[in-house]
């Protein structure tokens, strides 16, 4: 039986584009889940494998396949072809099974468009139910799980070492039994993405306040080109979060440094971003955090939360200072958090969300 990844057939998590019958998993942690009775399941998948150079898999898409909610995936797949059919599941016994396909590589790299799914029987079941608790998590590479599986800080970026399931983001969602939408993008920020020490201009071509308004800018640009009028704006009624976590500022630090004028600009633009978030999510709690990799704008973030709370008379926005990563615990690729640091961060964030939400 062949079927499309429509919401009638599969549970969809994350912001995903559905264009001409193809479900595009873009953001880290976006996924589909389906249940059936049978022995085998396959997926026909498109990816932009050739965009990154012939024979190079450094920036190619990565997905993981989970069965029946188990802790670890049964397989991880590198999307190394433009078009291919991949085996998701095989068993000698015909039995009920639930399969989840989750995007491990982040939005900017390695597209994943699921053309169709195919099972060896006609016994497709109703898709798994969505969780009652809902979280939106807005962040950068830390949220994506960038380099978390690398051996050390000297390893450069590779999509094979990205794993959002080992990031504080999905670890927190798991601990709280919540469904999470990740809007995360490496190197991104409020007023600037990451820049080198010698940079004389900010990297402000496409920042999170803009990304937040769309379903998936990266996939939209690939599918429709640079005409922004064709890009799909996100319908905020499709996912109404109970709480929104915002972890942005690490990359802004590379531009702000210790220059107070730049820090003040970060603070002011953060306030504006909070206004946009609140406008789209009037009933959500908002938790703003920072500190794991860089704390140079931590004071300005706390000020932004205070200013927004006072001027908007909004008591549902909160601030959390995260402890800096400990060198003794080790690092992931490019000095990013290692699994231990991500787990410890998740424990802190989970405790704070429980306090705010009473979960």
């Amino acid at each position: 039986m062949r079927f499309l990844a429509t919401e009638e057939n599969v549970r969809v998590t994350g912001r995903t584009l559905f264009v001409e019958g193809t479900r595009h998993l873009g953001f880290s942690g976006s996924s589909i889940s389906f249940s059936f009775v049978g022995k085998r399941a396959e997926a026909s998948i498109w990816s932009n494998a050739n965009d990154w150079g012939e024979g190079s898999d450094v920036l190619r898409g990565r997905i993981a396949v989970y069965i029946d909610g188990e802790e670890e995936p049964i397989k991880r797949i590198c999307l190394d072809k433009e078009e291919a059919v991949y085996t998701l599941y095989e068993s000698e016994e015909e039995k009920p099974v639930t399969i989840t396909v989750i995007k491990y590589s982040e939005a900017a790299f390695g597209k994943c468009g699921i053309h169709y799914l195919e099972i060896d029987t006609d016994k497709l079941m109703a898709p798994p139910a969505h969780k009652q608790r809902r979280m939106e998590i807005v962040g950068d590479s830390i949220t994506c799980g960038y380099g978390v599986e690398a051996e050390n800080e000297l390893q450069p970026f590779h999509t094979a070492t990205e794993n959002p399931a080992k990031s504080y983001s999905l670890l927190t969602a798991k601990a709280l039994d919540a469904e999470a939408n990740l809007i995360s993008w490496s190197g991104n920020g409020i007023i600037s993405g990451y820049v080198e020490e010698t940079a004389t201009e900010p990297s402000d071509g496409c920042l999170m306040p803009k990304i937040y308004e769309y379903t998936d800018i990266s996939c939209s640009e690939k599918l429709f080109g640079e005409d922004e009028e064709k890009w799909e704006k996100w319908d905020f009624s499709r996912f109404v979060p109970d709480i929104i976590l915002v972890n942005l500022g690490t990359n802004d630090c590379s531009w702000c440094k210790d220059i107070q004028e730049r820090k003040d600009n970060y603070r002011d633009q953060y306030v504006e971003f909070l206004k946009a978030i609140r406008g789209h999510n009037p009933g959500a709690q908002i938790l703003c955090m920072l500190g794991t990799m860089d704390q140079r704008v931590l004071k300005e973030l706390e000020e932004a939360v205070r200013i927004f709370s006072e001027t908007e008379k909004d008591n549902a926005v909160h601030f959390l200072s995260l402890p800096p990563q400990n060198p003794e615990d080790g690092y992931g690729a490019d000095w990013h958090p290692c699994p231990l640091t991500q787990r410890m961060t998740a424990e802190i964030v989970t405790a704070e969300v429980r306090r705010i939400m009473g979960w």
Side-chain angles (χ1 to χ4, degrees):
M1 176 185 178
R2 183 176 294 184
F3 57 96
L4 301 181
T6 64
E7 295 191 54
E8 291 75 25
N9 295 326
V10 306
R11 181 184 68 196
V12 179
T13 67
R15 294 187 180 187
T16 67
L17 285 171
F18 190 70
V19 179
E20 297 181 351
T22 297
R23 176 72 61 185
H24 295 272
L25 304 183
F27 284 112
S28 303
S30 56
S31 73
I32 61 157
S33 302
F34 62 97
S35 300
F36 75 105
V37 179
K39 297 181 180 180
R40 182 180 177 88
E42 298 177 335
S44 174
I45 298 176
W46 162 86
S47 188
N48 59 334
N50 294 336
D51 285 5
W52 313 112
E54 186 176 351
S56 173
D57 65 352
V58 173
L59 300 179
R60 283 180 174 162
R62 309 273 171 169
I63 57 174
V65 182
Y66 287 78
I67 300 297
D68 294 331
E70 293 181 357
E71 291 289 315
E72 296 294 330
I74 60 166
K75 62 171 60 180
R76 293 166 70 158
I77 299 171
C78 174
L79 304 177
D80 58 359
K81 297 177 178 63
E82 290 279 316
E83 302 273 353
V85 174
Y86 298 90
T87 299
L88 304 178
Y89 168 79
E90 288 182 296
S91 174
E92 295 181 354
E93 176 188 358
E94 182 176 299
K95 59 181 179 180
V97 63
T98 294
I99 296 177
T100 296
V101 178
I102 181 171
K103 182 84 170 342
Y104 267 18
S105 53
E106 62 178 276
F109 307 113
K111 305 297 183 280
C112 174
I114 301 174
H115 288 319
Y116 63 81
L117 300 154
E118 190 161 9
I119 56 178
D120 65 325
T121 68
D122 60 358
K123 301 174 184 178
L124 181 65
M125 302 163 65
H130 288 276
K131 295 183 180 294
Q132 290 188 333
R133 295 172 177 173
R134 293 187 167 194
M135 304 174 63
E136 182 174 84
I137 308 177
V138 185
D140 49 35
S141 55
I142 301 171
T143 301
C144 293
Y146 177 116
V148 69
E149 293 185 333
E151 293 180 3
N152 55 55
E153 66 274 14
L154 301 181
Q155 277 193 251
F157 177 76
H158 198 302
T159 54
T161 63
E162 282 195 298
N163 188 344
K166 292 184 179 180
S167 167
Y168 80 91
S169 52
L170 291 190
L171 289 173
T172 296
K174 181 180 178 181
L176 296 167
D177 193 27
E179 187 170 310
N181 270 20
L182 272 58
I183 304 103
S184 55
W185 196 299
S186 288
N188 214 281
I190 296 290
I191 64 168
S192 179
Y194 176 79
V195 295
E196 298 294 338
E197 183 67 26
T198 56
T200 57
E201 298 289 339
S203 175
D204 56 3
C206 187
L207 296 170
M208 188 54 70
K210 178 178 179 179
I211 291 170
Y212 188 72
E213 300 295 323
Y214 291 87
T215 302
D216 186 336
I217 280 182
S218 182
C219 281
S220 290
E221 186 173 27
K222 181 65 179 177
L223 295 172
F224 306 117
E226 297 182 359
D227 184 359
E228 295 185 16
E229 294 296 321
K230 297 180 180 179
W231 298 356
E232 182 179 283
K233 288 290 190 76
W234 175 243
D235 178 358
F236 286 86
S237 69
R238 288 173 59 184
F239 185 85
V240 181
D242 302 299
I243 186 167
I244 300 169
L245 312 184
V246 185
N247 189 351
L248 290 169
T250 299
N251 294 299
D252 296 280
C253 286
S254 68
W255 168 245
C256 292
K257 300 180 176 63
D258 291 314
I259 302 171
Q260 194 59 48
E261 182 181 5
R262 296 179 185 179
K263 290 183 173 184
D264 290 345
N265 185 30
Y266 165 81
R267 176 199 63 208
D268 296 343
Q269 293 307 309
Y270 202 112
V271 171
E272 294 304 309
F273 186 41
L274 285 175
K275 291 178 182 178
I277 292 174
R278 174 58 75 218
H280 293 306
N281 305 275
Q285 297 283 336
I286 304 173
L287 175 60
C288 306
M289 65 188 77
L290 187 66
T292 305
M293 290 183 69
D294 202 322
Q295 299 192 327
R296 285 177 288 181
V297 296
L298 192 63
K299 180 174 71 71
E300 285 70 27
L301 171 56
E302 186 173 17
E303 288 177 357
V305 171
R306 177 184 56 79
I307 291 169
F308 175 81
S309 180
E310 292 177 355
T311 58
E312 302 298 315
K313 296 180 173 54
D314 191 328
N315 294 321
V317 58
H318 313 269
F319 167 76
L320 176 63
S321 174
L322 296 173
Q325 54 191 343
N326 186 345
E328 294 182 1
D329 295 331
Y331 296 99
D334 295 328
W335 306 92
H336 279 71
C338 66
L340 176 58
T341 301
Q342 290 278 19
R343 289 196 301 270
M344 292 191 296
T345 301
E347 291 174 1
I348 294 168
V349 176
T350 298
E352 183 65 5
V353 173
R354 289 191 192 279
R355 183 192 70 80
I356 294 169
M357 302 301 300
W359 287 350

